Amino acid sequence: MKTRQLGKTGPVVSAFALGCMGMSDGVYGPADRAESIATIHAALDASVTLFDTGDFYAMGDNEMLVAEALRGIARDRYVLSVKFGAQRDPTGQWLGYALTPAAIKTALAYSLKRLGTEYIDIYRPARLPPGTDVEAVIGTLAELAKAGHIRHIGLSEVGAQTIRRAAAVHPIVDLQIEYSLLSRGIEDEILPTLRDLGIDVTAYGILARGMLGGRWRPGGYGAGDYRAHSPRFEGENGAANLALVEALRAVAEAKGLPMSQAAIAWALAQGDDIVPLIGARRPAQLTDALAALDVRLSAEDLAAIEHAVPKGAARGDRYHAQAMADLDSERR
């Protein structure tokens, strides 16, 4: 397993990260707890060291699942990345974000307990909505880092100006943000800013929530599945995006690759500062994704892929309107 240092001051991690959100809550369809734990163990066996979760994933259950899977594993064998701040009611509905110093410290205390650890390696606000006092949030996290409760500070889904404001308060090691053939908005301002400051990307959504996984067809999702309400998966948008998927499939098959590996390999080819965050839920999915680390795409291959899926060709927003309003990364 190749390794990367996150940012100028961050931890050395595997060049591939495992996102654990889909292992709880049925957000991308039913998940099996035993299979999920087996996937985490398979990742450890493959020398994956970076594991991502959030305190609001299944209202803490995802953290407890991760803790169960990592129980008995030496603490220096893995790096925990945790998002915080999102609020949910007893029915699972979203309530906004709590980012006061007291709320941040409380969230951290509960995450440390659920995860069964004395510190979290990378702690990051899930969102910084309009009006957030960025300096105050990062200042609170800096205090927690100085006290040893967290090791590093990360960001999630924020734009170039906010990245600079945060980095002026405390070193930032990575930005977690959606990046894929279908979501390339970061290339205009955000990625150049990150590279100017020496901050890495942990990229989620590389397979576009399964759209580029090789088996997607429009419709058929349960009510609890995120994709049942996502603009990119709905109606005419879904049909138009399926045409892009099939164009990519043709390019991948011509090279003898599964489409999923072509999509991951494309992301890896965009720079050594990009670490794919893949939400595998079964060991077989993990094995398939890891194989992309050995794929080498030529300049001609990359050109063919981008011809099949041109930048900006995806139809529909990444999230529904209310969630889009909270994305600092989408504000201009």
Side-chain angles (χ1 to χ4, degrees):
M1 174 63 69
K2 296 178 181 177
T3 59
R4 309 274 168 80
Q5 180 178 10
L6 291 182
K8 295 179 179 179
T9 62
V12 174
V13 301
S14 53
F16 179 103
L18 182 63
C20 300
M21 180 178 71
M23 297 177 179
S24 303
D25 228 8
V27 66
Y28 293 124
D32 180 275
R33 192 176 189 88
E35 281 279 284
S36 296
I37 290 173
T39 303
I40 293 175
H41 290 166
L44 289 166
D45 290 342
S47 298
V48 172
T49 61
L50 182 56
F51 298 86
D52 181 79
T53 182
D55 63 8
F56 50 93
Y57 295 167
M59 282 75 83
D61 182 69
N62 194 248
E63 288 180 318
M64 291 188 284
L65 183 151
V66 170
E68 181 180 348
L70 295 176
R71 191 171 297 129
I73 306 297
R75 186 62 180 84
D76 61 359
R77 284 191 59 194
Y78 58 88
V79 173
L80 289 173
S81 166
V82 180
K83 289 182 289 298
F84 71 89
Q87 305 293 288
R88 303 178 73 173
D89 71 13
T91 68
Q93 297 301 306
W94 300 98
L95 300 173
Y97 297 87
L99 297 169
T100 64
I104 293 171
K105 292 173 183 177
T106 299
L108 176 61
Y110 277 83
S111 284
L112 290 171
K113 186 72 171 178
R114 285 190 292 261
L115 287 163
T117 184
E118 294 182 354
Y119 64 90
I120 288 172
D121 299 277
I122 309 170
Y123 203 48
R124 72 183 80 244
R127 298 286 187 271
L128 293 175
T132 299
D133 187 336
V134 176
E135 288 77 10
V137 171
I138 303 302
T140 299
L141 293 175
E143 292 176 17
L144 294 169
K146 185 176 181 180
H149 302 305
I150 64 177
R151 294 284 175 89
H152 306 282
I153 299 173
L155 294 171
S156 177
E157 285 290 356
V158 295
Q161 181 179 355
T162 300
I163 293 166
R164 292 191 181 278
R165 289 173 61 187
V169 178
H170 189 278
I172 304 299
V173 299
D174 73 322
L175 171 69
Q176 190 175 116
I177 195 165
E178 185 168 355
Y179 185 47
S180 74
L181 280 162
L182 296 179
S183 297
R184 298 178 60 181
I186 72 168
E187 294 175 352
D188 298 331
E189 296 182 9
I190 294 173
L191 192 53
T193 298
L194 294 172
R195 287 174 170 164
D196 180 50
L197 296 173
I199 300 171
D200 280 23
V201 175
T202 43
Y204 76 89
I206 284 178
L207 296 180
R209 297 178 172 83
M211 192 176 282
L212 301 178
R215 290 182 290 274
W216 173 66
R217 288 291 181 275
Y221 302 115
D225 192 309
Y226 164 84
R227 294 165 293 191
H229 313 285
S230 167
R232 287 203 171 165
F233 287 81
E234 292 177 329
E236 293 182 359
N237 290 343
N241 292 331
L242 180 60
L244 298 174
V245 169
E246 293 307 319
L248 177 61
R249 188 192 306 277
V251 173
E253 289 180 350
K255 190 170 173 61
L257 291 174
M259 184 168 61
S260 59
Q261 290 180 18
I264 297 170
W266 173 87
L268 286 164
Q270 305 312 302
D272 289 342
D273 53 354
I274 295 172
V275 177
L277 179 63
I278 305 297
R281 293 181 291 166
R282 297 188 300 276
Q285 288 179 321
L286 176 71
T287 298
D288 179 74
L290 285 171
L293 292 169
D294 296 322
V295 173
R296 296 293 176 266
L297 297 175
S298 67
E300 292 76 14
D301 294 330
L302 291 169
I305 288 172
E306 296 195 17
H307 179 75
V309 187
K311 182 177 179 178
R315 289 272 298 272
D317 287 335
R318 296 196 284 131
Y319 293 91
H320 57 73
Q322 183 177 353
M324 287 292 289
D326 288 329
L327 292 180
D328 183 84
S329 55
E330 293 288 340
R331 291 197 286 277
R332 297 291 185 266

